[in-house]
Amino acid sequence: MAEVIQLESFKRKQAATRGFKSWSKRFDDKLDEHTRLSDLSDNTLLFLISPGDQNIFALYELVMGVKDLGTASDFFHLDKAVKMEVIDISIYVLDQLRFECMRRLDWLESGAGQPLPIVEIVERYPLLKGLGPASIPMLNESHPKSQIYRGLPELEKETFLRKQIPEAINEFGKRLQD
């Protein structure tokens, strides 16, 4: 049994090495198979959540590395179904990164952070996606728009929360400049 656990640990470490290869060159963060969203520096988080091609390709590199599909430059040569899977997982990770930003701003209820290491988020995507609305954090009562949020039907709360993302990115960036 110990051999199985060691093999799983080895595979996860290899996946992290591949997935974080380009991130390790780009960011100053210590990145390994145990790195969680909450472990990322504010500057790294801001880069990854900011609009633009560079951040989405950084997420493609992560996903493709973890799944051993090559580098981001190989993305355009992937089979259509595999390409869609990379995009879906990247968008899911981006959502989690944005929720992490909102958590750091204290806009989300405590305990709203993703407890899994980043590599496991990529690996367990099908299971995590299946959780659906249950995986969407709640807006903190201290947020100025919390009364509006609390009055919404459950199905509209996710949309409302997502509409706060641009403001959260802007606020987070301002805090880093101060």
Side-chain angles (χ1 to χ4, degrees), residues 36-106:
R36 290 171 166 62
L37 299 170
S38 60
D39 297 326
L40 297 175
S41 70
D42 288 345
N43 287 327
T44 298
L45 181 61
L46 181 61
F47 175 86
L48 293 169
I49 63 174
S50 295
D53 291 341
Q54 285 188 333
N55 73 333
I56 199 66
F57 276 102
L59 294 172
Y60 290 173
E61 288 170 335
L62 167 72
V63 172
M64 291 177 67
V66 169
K67 298 185 87 40
D68 203 11
L69 298 171
T71 63
S73 61
D74 299 320
F75 174 78
F76 298 103
H77 304 291
L78 293 174
D79 174 73
K80 186 177 180 179
V82 175
K83 193 183 297 182
M84 286 307 301
E85 181 183 21
V86 169
I87 291 170
D88 288 347
I89 296 170
S90 297
I91 290 170
Y92 182 81
V93 172
L94 179 60
D95 277 349
Q96 300 309 307
L97 289 161
R98 289 173 172 169
F99 293 148
E100 175 62 20
C101 163
M102 295 172 88
R103 186 193 63 73
R104 291 184 192 188
L105 291 170
D106 198 30

Side-chain angles (χ1 to χ4, degrees), residues 145-160:
K145 296 179 183 175
S146 68
Q147 292 296 33
I148 297 168
Y149 174 80
R150 301 269 182 239
L152 293 172
E154 286 303 312
L155 294 174
E156 293 179 28
K157 287 182 176 179
E158 179 180 353
T159 302
F160 182 87

Side-chain angles (χ1 to χ4, degrees), residues 1-10:
M1 186 67 169
E3 290 177 21
V4 172
I5 294 170
Q6 288 176 352
L7 180 60
E8 219 27 64
S9 175
F10 175 76

Side-chain angles (χ1 to χ4, degrees), residues 12 20 33-36 66 92 114-126 128:
R12 182 150 295 130
F20 289 132
E33 70 274 17
H34 304 291
T35 303
R36 290 171 166 62
V66 169
Y92 182 81
Q114 176 58 261
L116 295 173
I118 296 169
V119 171
E120 286 189 53
I121 293 172
V122 173
E123 292 173 338
R124 294 185 185 189
Y125 167 73
L128 296 171

